[in-house]
Amino acid sequence: MIIFIILLKILDVVLSIFAFATTTSHKSSTTFSILCANATQPEDRTFYYSYPYDLESECFKLCDTDAKQFCLLSGSKSSAEFYVFVGVIVFLYCLAALVLYIFFDDLYRRNTRLVIVDFIISVVLTLLWIIASSAWAAGVSDVKTYTDPEEGGIFGTDQCQKDLCKVKSLGNFASLNVSLIFGFLNFGVWIGNLWFIYKETPWFKLTSKPPTEPDQHSPISGNNY
């Protein structure tokens, strides 16, 4: 049974790397054109964004003559950082667990406390995956919304009234979509992890232990006639 746990842990290592790597490596940009006052031709404006998607700090002037800068309305910094944090701690825990399974197999099998601790930590990590993935799914949706000039409030400013602004290119979010897939895939694999680790716990062994049959050769108590 331990071989299945080892194989799943190796898969967990790979999936966790892909989950946080596709999130932290993503970079994109949005470009729109704006016809400023006293200008004869529209000018292009491009803003860039990447991990940790602190979009509120992304500020720029819509027109060169503007006294104030426009800042994007919202970001997804907390959900992005939490998602990456979960991926990293899962990666580190899986490496530690693999060392235990491979090099200290006898100790793991004989010490029920280690198995129980492993199971409890696995339950916590499984819950963290579904929480982080769900939060990051909402975060990705926010990133897409607030980097869109039409939905993110740019085209609602005074400088962009009456079709003075037009979208030229939106960001590419393929990497973030893939990161979400890996997040929920990690959750599914950890469900399988729980089942195999649970079968190593004393709780499962007690419930699966066949009932003992009475000894047929033992004398039957009762009155003799």
Side-chain angles (χ1 to χ4, degrees), residues 69-82:
Q69 291 184 324
F70 176 86
C71 298
L72 298 182
L73 300 181
S74 183
S76 303
K77 182 179 179 180
S78 58
S79 59
E81 290 180 338
F82 179 60

Side-chain angles (χ1 to χ4, degrees), residues 2 29 82 96 146 169 192:
I2 194 70
S29 63
F82 179 60
Y146 293 111
S169 66

Side-chain angles (χ1 to χ4, degrees), residues 190-206:
W190 274 88
I191 291 293
N193 258 325
L194 289 181
W195 170 244
F196 286 107
I197 297 175
Y198 173 70
K199 294 181 76 172
E200 295 292 326
T201 63
W203 307 321
F204 176 80
K205 293 178 180 179
L206 285 176

Side-chain angles (χ1 to χ4, degrees), residues 31-44:
T31 301
F32 63 95
S33 64
I34 180 171
L35 182 61
C36 296
N38 301 323
T40 58
Q41 295 292 332
E43 300 177 358
D44 288 347

Side-chain angles (χ1 to χ4, degrees), residues 1 6 20 26 35 38 40-41 45-46 51 90 94 102 105 128 130-131 142 153-154 159 171 210:
M1 195 64 63
I6 293 175
F20 65 75
H26 174 259
L35 182 61
N38 301 323
T40 58
Q41 295 292 332
R45 295 287 183 268
T46 301
Y51 178 82
V90 167
C94 287
I102 296 173
D105 179 52
L128 285 178
I130 189 60
I131 294 171
D142 287 342
I154 296 177
Q159 297 90 330

Side-chain angles (χ1 to χ4, degrees), residues 2 5-6 9 97-103 105 108 118 197:
I2 194 70
I5 300 177
I6 293 175
K9 278 295 188 293
L98 283 172
V99 171
L100 177 64
Y101 299 153
I102 296 173
F103 297 103
D105 179 52
Y108 182 79
D118 187 23
I197 297 175

